[in-house]
Amino acid sequence: MTRRVLLHVGTPKTGTSYLQDVLFRNRPTLASAGILYPADRFDGHFLAALDLMRLPWGGLEREAIGAWDRLATQVRAHPGTSIISHEILAAASRSQVGQAMESLGHGSGTEVHVVLSVRDLVRQVPAEWQENVKHRSTISYQRFLRQIRDPARRGRISSWFWSVQEIPDILNRWGLDLPPEHVHLVTVPPRGGDRELLWKRFSHVLGLDGLDLDLEAERVNPSLGVPETALIRRINRAANRQVAPVDYRPLVRELLAHQTLSRRTRSPRLALPPDVHPWVRDLEDAWVTEIRERGYDVVGDLEDLRGGPPPRRWANPDSPVEKQVARAAVDAVKALLLENARLQQEVRDVRGELDEAYRALERSYLRPTYRARAKAVRRLQASAMGRNALQAYRAARGRNSRSA
Amino acid sequence: MAGDDGRRRAWGWVAHLRDGGTTPWAGWHAEAERGPYLPGAQQLELLRRLNLAGRPSAALVDRVLSASAPGRGTPDLELVGADSGSAFGPRPVDPAQLPEVELTRVASSLVADDLVTAGTPALREPAFVRPWRTRYRLVGDPWLADPARDALTARGRPPGGRGAVVLVLGTDLATMVADVWTARAFGAGVASWREWLDPLARARSVPPRVDLPRTATAWAGRVGAGRVRVVLDPAALPRLVGVRRSLPARPRPSADATDLARRVGAVLGILVLPQRRTELLRRSLLPRLLEGPGAPGAPLAVPPQHADWALDRAARMRDDLTGAGYAVHGDPDLLLPRREDLAAATAGPTESGVLELALRLLLGSGDRPADTSDRPTEREGHR
């Protein structure tokens, strides 16, 4: 059996969370088909990527120590197909790619395939800004756009954006040492298309067709509208200094953004400003031409990489309609209240259990045998002879507890 | 677009650097056979700087060429004139024009690897715990308290215990502020000096660890004001903790050294657990930063534009402490920074100084010092 590794390296906001959730939850089914998805926690491959790329990530990196080597060891030990998936791998440098490939067995018998899921830049630009906001950033949309349009790509935001979004450059790094037929591009269908089409494309390229997989999503990374993103940005500005990353993730990113504000689907959607649209379309055209020439395996349609026209009415997230933000804020307050109430109930329940434990303990103290022993110890401790006797007894018993 | 000639020229430069060459990329013309992939401009320029500063071993050369800059930031860059010809990716650069901070990023990752490999020197077996020891706790300025506590623990006098007296250690406020940043740079990590200091000064607040009145009040609430002492005179400390021998003075790494530790610590954060990171930074890196030619260099100091803030807050701290009636060992005016010291303060860490230190550390990790007699000359580089 040929050892194969399917290495899905990005890009962000292309259905990666959904894919990783399906793969993680269906590990037994995959294993029965000879496919290894080596993870003991949902974000296992994220941690491995942090380790490979030496990326700090709000303290999470502490859990990532040695994660890539462990992952690679499992892959090398598996005789069949292994799947690795995380979108931040798109940012890996050439030497990190070389290190990853070597550790997975490339060049020593393992057939490595790189998979890159891609979406048009017209949707990716606002989505990346929103991701920044959901990761505590306070940068305005205008400033974000200015930074990513800087040809020198100065600064963290710009360099990160292009390292995970510039498809030809990602493939220059990850596809450098692979034949083009081992590089697979999965295109995300245009907005409003068949919702299952993307999964079918993933399923095809990863060899999952015909497997009975549970496709019910538990984890997704849903998008927010204009007022909702503006609200999160304001929350970041107000609370970043007080809220630690470890609390920000469950409260702001998960509870507020993902579980509450993403449900407000009738608000204006984030989009490119009309004046930036032609610049992005030109880039998309250049990318499509380049990718077509390289001869990669395209699963889907390269035309999917050309974004749609600008919206008829563009909503500026830097100056949103305040009424819409206020409504989103009310939903956010309500969610926090309900969460607080749930936690209060949990505290009451735990306190009740603790009280019950105390009462049980007291009852045991009140047992006649306990009281007799306690009285004996008190008496013995009152005299030197008694203390020596107690010490001898404890030594003989083989326990040094001071309590009776 | 560079084409194959440019790529071969780049491989020629790689070979030259591997041989210890120091010719800048802009002045290099010879070609060599191509390899699998070219290292980034940052790695190549770092190797050139190492060659200028000493003689890196073959192992170090390999490590430099296969390293990547850690964390988010500028990705590996291609050499101008030798790029792949792709219209995509970041612009190629002349490596000599790279900001030094980019070279330090790569170097700090390699220094972190060295630290993890070397580990920490073995600790001396702690002396047996003296039952008759004076019970104490050391709080306040962490860079003063930590070494003293470690030394006392090693002498069989660990902190805590029934009836312990709480000793709030301090010195002038400007030094204490620098100490807090230093302790965090050699510990859990911190933003750059000015990114950390400027908002603090703008808000006219002081770091909680060295807000001595607040610390004293908090401890007074727990143990009673009678068991809280403020210690501003370091000579008084041995007597207060019940020892005769003097305690070690706090280490004074330079501003550049402290900033390098901060950057190395950020990489260590993904290589080892937090407690181990602090051990490696304080017990392995710090002694190396305090030795060697030119060490330790100019210490960290609060810059002159924050002098008013430092003086105001120090005066308020002195008044609060004396007004609250705590026992103070040393002159309360010791809390006040000297205006002339603040006026003469340096600008803080410098990029060139931090890089120079990183190069020194890398070359010191089993590599021979510079011997210019057998290094290829600029002229040889143009062969």
Side-chain angles (χ1 to χ4, degrees), chain A residues 48 95 133 148 164 191 198 204 269 280 307 335 341 344 364:
Chain A
S95 60
V133 172
I148 65 167
V164 296
R191 183 172 284 153
L198 177 60
H204 171 73
R269 301 288 91 185
V280 170
Q344 298 245 32
S364 75

Side-chain angles (χ1 to χ4, degrees), chain B:
Chain B
M1 190 177 287
D4 274 357
D5 289 351
R7 305 289 280 178
R8 279 197 295 273
R9 184 162 74 92
W11 281 108
W13 195 49
V14 173
H16 169 66
L17 296 175
R18 277 188 176 279
D19 290 343
T22 58
T23 308
W25 166 243
W28 184 257
H29 302 292
E31 297 181 351
E33 282 306 303
R34 298 176 61 154
Y37 64 86
L38 265 175
Q42 297 97 317
Q43 289 82 348
L44 293 167
E45 181 63 16
L46 177 64
L47 180 52
R48 194 179 77 84
R49 302 287 183 99
L50 280 166
N51 288 341
L52 281 168
R55 290 197 58 195
S57 65
L60 177 58
V61 170
D62 285 340
R63 286 174 56 214
V64 172
L65 294 180
S66 60
S68 275
R72 291 189 184 206
T74 310
D76 292 356
L77 299 169
E78 294 197 272
L79 300 173
V80 67
D83 51 284
S84 58
S86 172
F88 308 99
R91 283 177 177 173
V93 292
D94 175 355
Q97 305 298 319
L98 278 169
E100 279 160 331
V101 65
E102 293 300 335
L103 308 184
T104 307
R105 269 181 76 209
V106 181
S108 59
S109 183
L110 295 166
V111 172
D113 284 334
D114 283 343
L115 288 177
V116 173
T117 305
T120 44
L123 272 178
R124 219 179 47 184
E125 195 67 30
F128 81 94
V129 176
R130 268 69 165 174
W132 57 85
R133 68 190 182 278
T134 302
R135 304 306 202 253
Y136 71 92
R137 280 185 197 282
L138 298 182
V139 297
D141 183 331
W143 207 235
L144 287 172
D146 293 352
R149 191 186 304 112
D150 289 347
L152 287 165
T153 303
R155 293 183 199 174
R157 298 168 186 277
R162 189 180 290 250
V165 173
V166 178
L167 304 171
V168 185
L169 306 190
T171 180
D172 74 88
L173 182 60
T175 304
M176 286 199 290
V177 169
D179 281 354
V180 171
W181 190 75
T182 303
R184 288 180 62 181
F186 281 93
V190 65
S192 72
W193 171 235
R194 297 308 293 265
E195 278 175 353
W196 179 81
L197 177 70
D198 291 350
L200 199 68
R202 270 199 303 274
R204 303 195 78 72
S205 58
V206 294
R209 290 287 299 270
V210 295
D211 190 342
L212 303 189
R214 188 169 134 178
T215 306
T217 306
W219 277 101
R222 290 168 66 177
V223 302
R227 278 183 20 214
V228 176
R229 316 250 192 287
V230 179
V231 185
L232 302 178
D233 176 9
L237 184 59
R239 183 175 50 79
L240 290 167
V241 294
V243 297
R244 287 186 191 156
R245 270 189 298 156
S246 63
L247 292 164
R250 78 185 199 289
R252 295 290 301 272
S254 67
D256 292 337
T258 309
D259 199 41
L260 179 62
R262 180 182 72 84
R263 296 177 203 210
V264 171
V267 184
L268 283 175
I270 197 144
L271 300 179
V272 295
L273 291 170
Q275 190 186 343
R276 184 66 179 152
R277 168 170 61 179
T278 304
E279 286 172 1
L280 288 170
L281 289 171
R282 294 192 180 189
R283 290 176 45 210
S284 189
L285 180 63
L286 178 59
R288 294 174 64 194
L289 292 171
L290 293 171
E291 66 192 25
L300 195 66
V302 171
Q305 70 259 43
H306 295 319
D308 288 343
W309 158 70
L311 288 164
D312 288 353
R313 285 303 314 247
R316 209 160 95 193
M317 198 175 274
R318 175 197 58 192
D319 298 345
D320 288 350
L321 281 173
T322 48
Y326 296 113
V328 179
H329 298 265
D331 184 351
D333 281 346
L334 287 171
L335 285 166
L336 305 178
R338 297 193 323 157
R339 194 174 273 279
E340 55 270 31
D341 288 346
L342 291 169
T346 53
T350 60
E351 284 303 337
S352 57
V354 176
L355 176 60
E356 197 180 313
L357 264 178
L359 296 176
R360 199 189 85 197
L361 286 177
L362 287 173
L363 288 167
S365 58
D367 287 81
R368 280 190 288 162
D371 178 0
T372 48
S373 61
D374 57 353
R375 186 190 297 156
T377 61
E378 300 286 307
R379 184 184 294 267
E380 284 169 336
H382 292 262
R383 66 190 182 271

Side-chain angles (χ1 to χ4, degrees), chain A residues 217-230:
Chain A
E218 283 179 10
R219 290 181 185 84
V220 287
N221 186 5
S223 295
L224 305 180
V226 168
E228 292 79 17
T229 313

Side-chain angles (χ1 to χ4, degrees), chain A residues 17-295:
Chain A
S17 298
Y18 175 74
L19 171 70
Q20 289 147 16
D21 184 56
V22 169
L23 293 171
F24 180 71
R25 286 186 298 102
N26 288 280
R27 283 169 296 156
T29 311
L30 294 171
S32 64
I35 299 171
L36 173 72
Y37 186 71
D40 52 13
R41 50 190 275 185
F42 167 74
D43 57 357
H45 295 186
F46 171 54
L47 297 178
L50 292 183
D51 183 38
L52 174 73
M53 297 157 67
R54 298 195 166 185
L55 268 178
W57 205 282
L60 264 181
E61 66 276 10
R62 287 176 207 151
E63 298 168 44
I65 297 166
W68 181 269
D69 283 347
R70 286 194 294 275
L71 178 74
T73 304
Q74 290 179 71
V75 168
R76 283 198 308 273
H78 182 68
T81 297
S82 301
I83 300 176
I84 297 172
S85 172
H86 206 275
E87 57 274 18
I88 64 164
L89 287 167
S93 70
R94 280 173 296 179
S95 60
Q96 287 160 347
V97 169
Q99 188 190 332
M101 290 288 199
E102 190 185 343
S103 68
L104 296 173
H106 178 62
S108 48
T110 302
E111 189 179 297
V112 177
H113 292 247
V114 164
V115 178
L116 189 69
S117 47
V118 292
R119 191 166 77 146
D120 63 86
L121 202 55
V122 166
R123 283 183 289 172
Q124 291 294 68
V125 170
E128 273 287 342
W129 175 68
Q130 186 183 108
E131 277 304 299
N132 272 277
V133 172
K134 287 196 293 186
H135 284 87
R136 302 174 74 101
S137 175
T138 58
I139 190 171
S140 71
Y141 193 35
Q142 278 307 314
R143 201 164 139 232
F144 174 82
L145 291 169
R146 232 183 358 258
Q147 290 202 10
I148 65 167
R149 294 180 75 181
D150 172 11
R153 301 184 180 181
R154 279 180 291 255
R156 289 180 175 197
I157 284 187
S158 178
S159 62
W160 179 260
F161 175 85
W162 292 111
S163 67
V164 296
Q165 291 296 347
E166 193 175 22
I167 300 166
D169 182 49
I170 296 168
L171 294 171
N172 279 344
R173 285 179 271 124
W174 277 102
L176 179 74
D177 206 17
L178 294 177
E181 61 271 22
H182 286 187
V183 178
H184 311 272
L185 256 78
V186 177
T187 64
V188 176
R191 183 172 284 153
D194 179 2
R195 293 178 72 87
E196 289 185 5
L197 187 55
L198 177 60
W199 170 254
K200 285 177 188 164
R201 290 175 180 174
F202 273 129
S203 173
H204 171 73
V205 78
L206 298 177
L208 307 178
D209 289 347
L211 295 182
D212 184 21
L213 301 176
D214 172 10
L215 300 180
E216 198 62 44
E218 283 179 10
R219 290 181 185 84
V220 287
N221 186 5
S223 295
L224 305 180
V226 168
E228 292 79 17
T229 313
L231 174 66
I232 296 288
R233 184 172 155 242
R234 291 179 189 185
I235 290 171
N236 293 347
R237 283 163 68 176
N240 261 357
R241 285 177 75 91
Q242 282 90 36
V243 180
V246 70
D247 296 321
Y248 184 91
R249 273 191 292 273
L251 288 175
V252 182
R253 190 173 154 79
E254 290 304 322
L255 175 66
L256 290 188
H258 289 172
Q259 292 168 29
T260 307
L261 298 174
S262 69
R263 291 183 182 162
R264 298 173 49 85
T265 52
R266 296 174 68 182
S267 56
R269 301 288 91 185
L270 281 173
L272 278 179
D275 61 315
V276 180
H277 207 271
W279 171 70
V280 170
R281 286 300 303 265
D282 286 350
L283 280 175
E284 288 174 343
D285 290 345
W287 292 6
V288 168
T289 307
E290 175 76 13
I291 293 165
R292 189 163 278 139
E293 281 174 5
R294 292 188 188 182

Side-chain angles (χ1 to χ4, degrees), chain A residues 354-403:
Chain A
L354 200 60
D355 288 347
E356 181 53 38
Y358 274 129
R359 279 194 291 275
L361 205 58
E362 276 170 14
R363 279 197 298 277
S364 75
Y365 286 158
L366 292 174
R367 286 207 316 268
T369 53
Y370 177 88
R371 290 164 68 184
R373 278 181 291 146
K375 192 173 174 184
V377 167
R378 273 199 305 277
R379 283 194 174 169
L380 286 168
Q381 280 176 333
S383 68
M385 193 185 290
R387 282 195 294 275
N388 287 338
L390 203 54
Q391 200 173 357
Y393 163 73
R394 281 172 176 153
R397 195 180 54 177
R399 209 180 101 192
N400 64 358
S401 166
R402 297 280 159 190
S403 60

